[in-house]
Amino acid sequence: MKGMAVNGFRAGVAALALCLLPLVAQAQGAEVAFGGLQHDSTLPVEVTADQLRVDQADGTAVFTGGVVIGQGTMRLSADRVLVNYAAETGDSTGRIERLHATGNVVLVNGAEAAESQEAVYSIDAGTVVMTGSVLLTQGQNALSGERLVVDLARGTGTMEGRVKTIFQSGGGE
């Protein structure tokens, strides 16, 4: 059921991008405002998945199968997420330091959504770096590239790597 929802979301994003093809601008890099992606990274992180494997020796946990991570209004879903815990004097503090998501990655916050092949969320830095065929939608506008760096505290981001921007012209038929 979760897979169908993600596939439906992806199909909707693809259909939206096709509908917006009349107005296209291309560039090598683009800075983007992410008002909806402004986020408080100090909120608790909730993770659900089909399976969990914990390795106390290296302070990691691996969630697999329909992984959904929530923090405030932000949601990150993926096939697999590696969690690195912060350590002090060699011992894990139990505080999540970094999340590395792979496979069918989707980041949603408000009306903005981004999908990619991989994402790294550095919680202390408050950044999400998405790589591999990134597609960002903001309302009726779409932006694609190879790498998206989001600063959650500032609500800004930078898309890099043969950026393609699609803006809705606002004109009617």
Side-chain angles (χ1 to χ4, degrees):
M1 183 63 112
K2 289 179 191 175
M4 290 174 59
V6 169
N7 288 337
F9 173 78
R10 286 179 173 276
V13 168
L16 174 64
L18 289 174
C19 291
L20 300 176
L21 284 177
L23 183 58
V24 176
Q26 293 185 343
Q28 289 299 318
E31 188 161 316
V32 183
F34 287 98
L37 286 182
Q38 197 162 7
H39 177 72
D40 181 358
S41 62
T42 63
L43 295 171
V45 176
E46 179 181 318
V47 182
T48 57
D50 294 336
Q51 186 175 28
L52 167 64
R53 183 182 53 82
V54 177
D55 187 337
Q56 295 291 338
D58 67 3
T60 63
V62 177
F63 292 89
T64 54
V67 183
V68 178
I69 298 168
Q71 187 179 40
T73 59
M74 186 173 72
R75 296 289 176 264
L76 176 75
S77 62
D79 295 336
R80 179 183 185 273
V81 176
L82 169 67
V83 177
N84 294 99
Y85 292 95
E88 291 179 12
T89 63
D91 294 325
S92 176
T93 63
R95 184 178 57 80
I96 296 174
E97 181 176 69
R98 179 176 172 264
L99 301 167
H100 183 182
T102 54
N104 300 307
V105 178
V106 178
L107 175 68
V108 178
N109 199 6
E112 298 174 323
E115 64 178 82
S116 66
Q117 295 170 2
E118 187 172 355
V120 175
Y121 177 19
S122 300
I123 293 178
D124 291 342
T127 61
V128 178
V129 178
M130 301 182 78
T131 55
S133 301
V134 181
L135 175 62
L136 169 71
T137 57
Q138 294 178 302
Q140 293 185 1
N141 299 320
L143 180 67
S144 65
E146 283 303 309
R147 183 171 189 259
L148 172 64
V149 180
V150 178
D151 181 331
L152 295 169
R154 291 181 42 225
T156 62
T158 303
M159 182 74 80
E160 303 168 348
R162 197 63 184 159
V163 177
K164 182 176 183 180
T165 307
I166 303 170
F167 297 103
Q168 183 69 308
S169 65
E173 289 186 30

